[in-house]
Amino acid sequence: MRIIIGVADMKVSSQAEAELITYSLGSCLGVVVYDPLVRVGGLLHFMLPESQIDPEKARRNPWMFADTGIPFLFKEAYKYGADKGRMIVKVAGGSQIMDDQGFFNIGKRNYAAMRKIFWRNNVLIQAEDVGGMINRTVRLELSSGRVWLKTSGEGEREL
Amino acid sequence: MNRIEAIIRSIDRLPPLPAIIHQALQRINDPGSSAQDVVEIIQYDQGITAQVLQVCNSAYFNLRRQVHSLKEALVLLGFNTLMQILLHNSFKGVLSHSCRGYDLDTGALWKHSVSCALLTEILTRRLQRQPDSRLFTAALLHDMGKVVLSAYVQETFAAIKGLVREQGYSFVAAEREVLGIDHAELGGLIAEKWAFPRAIIAAVRYHHTPWLSGEDCSDLVGLVHLANCMALLTGIGGGSDGLYYTGDPDLMENFRLREKDVEKCLTQLNDRLAAMEAWLEMG
Ligand SMILES: [Fe+2]
Ligand SMILES: [Fe+2]
């Protein structure tokens, strides 16, 4: 069973036969968490670094922003029995367009905001594929915890 | 026949615009004509009228009564919404084709196009300007050239990709280098063939190179460019050309926009897309 995560969206699941997938990561970031012992996994697809840009929107849709979405993802995984110490974290996305003056460098700022949150909370990133100018699709197999990365126009590889 | 000629000729394989749509669009895009003029044209086509009324009467609009005529629809929904329904009905088919050359599945280009069109609206509101139906049309059609160029991009993808990945070319610059023409210029030719107003043709042709628009330069060109940059960032309906396109910082400055404005606009896209999908599914 394929559970699709949209833009500014998140799903956590413990169904062994399921896979979580998010398409079309541009400057957005996909954050995958997985606890191999209880086989609980989650995938967050956030869009922007900080919720202060629109607190009202953040209340309705916390998954839009790094600072509201990432804590939400972890808390939700804990509810399913995941343990922070065992959790594997992988990330992908954060692309940008060709822009010398940084008007459109949301990808970079998304990555920086995420790193800051992880650093404060002692979360290590196990694997990542970020930056560049490509579109990415990320898929988590809940039975195995394997994460697959597809770059638009190319094949799939394990992250 | 050389390749550029072959590419340009293949524009003819696109389905022609239905005459009624053509006339309606010309009126829609003529600032001198009224909403009433558009309705006058469409109402003689029963098929289109029925489609528009079906969307109007869908749960999404939640109108208190059944709408039976386009005139009523115009009063209840306003000209802009009516125009958008018409544009969607006209172009959803051709823009939904899969484009193998760009690794776009069925429906992906359509999603990108709608995102761009909605972002021009969001931007217009943010800039406190009047909605402009020409702008929406241009944004919706800006990547039309991809539908035609896709097959040629597929044939030459290795060469294009090489220039992009190894030599720092933007995707359009690489298309132009390898094929002699790019999807933006080709889109401009399609818009020209369909006899669209000059500002729309220019906005399509220069959507990746607004700084080259010269005497055709207008707000339309600039806003379609910026909305497309934002649409690229979202990744929605994104393909193998990725984000390999240049953003024009001067335009950001001309419109007095900052990076925070880009973020603000993007926060609004999701809701607008969801709303639009809700009523399109009815249509
Ligand atoms: Fe384009
Ligand atoms: Fe585009």
Side-chain angles (χ1 to χ4, degrees), chain B residues 50-122:
Chain B
Q51 280 172 25
V52 171
L53 291 181
Q54 197 186 354
V55 176
C56 294
N57 287 317
S58 72
Y60 171 72
F61 288 107
N62 197 18
L63 299 175
R64 275 192 212 111
R65 57 191 169 85
Q66 190 80 5
V67 178
H68 297 289
S69 75
L70 289 171
K71 280 190 180 151
E72 280 178 272
L74 182 65
V75 172
L76 291 167
L77 299 176
F79 176 62
N80 256 304
T81 306
L82 200 61
M83 184 254 345
Q84 288 181 15
I85 294 170
L86 187 67
L87 284 168
H88 280 92
N89 279 326
S90 318
F91 295 108
K92 186 170 184 189
V94 61
L95 284 173
S96 290
H97 286 297
S98 69
C99 298
R100 288 283 117 247
Y102 296 92
D103 195 24
L104 293 169
D105 291 337
T106 306
L109 182 60
W110 173 247
K111 272 195 183 161
H112 169 72
S113 306
V114 171
S115 300
C116 183
L118 291 175
L119 281 162
T120 58
E121 263 199 344
I122 293 167

Side-chain angles (χ1 to χ4, degrees), chain A residues 2-93:
Chain A
R2 181 164 270 207
I3 301 171
I4 297 170
I5 288 91
V7 181
D9 191 9
M10 180 200 86
K11 297 275 160 49
V12 172
S13 174
S14 57
Q15 290 171 273
E17 72 281 14
E19 62 173 19
L20 304 180
I21 186 162
T22 194
Y23 300 97
S24 76
L25 288 158
S27 64
C28 305
L29 273 171
V31 184
V32 179
V33 295
Y34 186 74
D35 179 335
L37 187 74
V38 292
R39 296 190 182 178
V40 166
L43 175 48
L44 165 74
H45 179 147
F46 76 83
M47 214 179 168
L48 297 168
E50 281 163 28
S51 57
Q52 67 177 33
I53 192 102
D54 194 339
E56 164 56 24
K57 192 128 277 167
R59 262 191 296 281
R60 279 192 291 131
N61 184 350
W63 313 297
M64 188 173 276
F65 307 98
D67 61 346
T68 47
I70 294 171
F72 203 116
L73 171 69
F74 278 74
K75 278 179 199 149
E76 195 67 14
Y78 300 155
K79 274 192 205 161
Y80 281 75
D83 177 79
K84 189 178 163 189
R86 290 192 302 258
M87 239 151 51
I88 291 163
V89 178
K90 299 184 178 181
V91 298

Side-chain angles (χ1 to χ4, degrees), chain A residues 48-49 53 99 101-106 108-109, chain B residues 126 230 233 252-253 256-266:
Chain A
L48 297 168
I53 192 102
D99 153 35
Q101 302 194 20
F103 279 115
F104 302 99
N105 65 358
I106 290 171
K108 251 187 206 150
R109 283 186 284 127
Chain B
R126 187 145 190 86
M230 293 184 205
L233 289 175
M252 289 289 285
E253 268 154 24
R256 297 177 192 281
L257 291 165
R258 314 175 137 263
E259 54 185 33
K260 286 286 166 212
D261 295 296
V262 176
E263 290 192 19
K264 270 274 183 198
C265 289
L266 290 176

Side-chain angles (χ1 to χ4, degrees), chain B residues 117-155:
Chain B
L118 291 175
L119 281 162
T120 58
E121 263 199 344
I122 293 167
L123 252 176
T124 303
R125 207 164 302 157
R126 187 145 190 86
L127 294 165
Q128 296 179 314
R129 293 169 182 234
Q130 289 300 311
D132 181 340
S133 43
R134 294 176 311 159
L135 179 58
F136 194 91
T137 310
L140 195 68
L141 300 178
H142 77 280
D143 273 336
M144 190 75 186
K146 283 186 178 176
V147 176
V148 174
L149 205 61
S150 173
Y152 300 94
V153 169
Q154 190 172 13
E155 277 172 20

Side-chain angles (χ1 to χ4, degrees), chain B residues 11 49 75 84 98 102 115 179 183-184 200 202 225 227 244 247-248:
Chain B
I11 290 177
T49 301
V75 172
Q84 288 181 15
S98 69
Y102 296 92
S115 300
L179 296 169
H183 73 268
I200 293 184
H225 171 78
Y244 288 99
D248 186 353

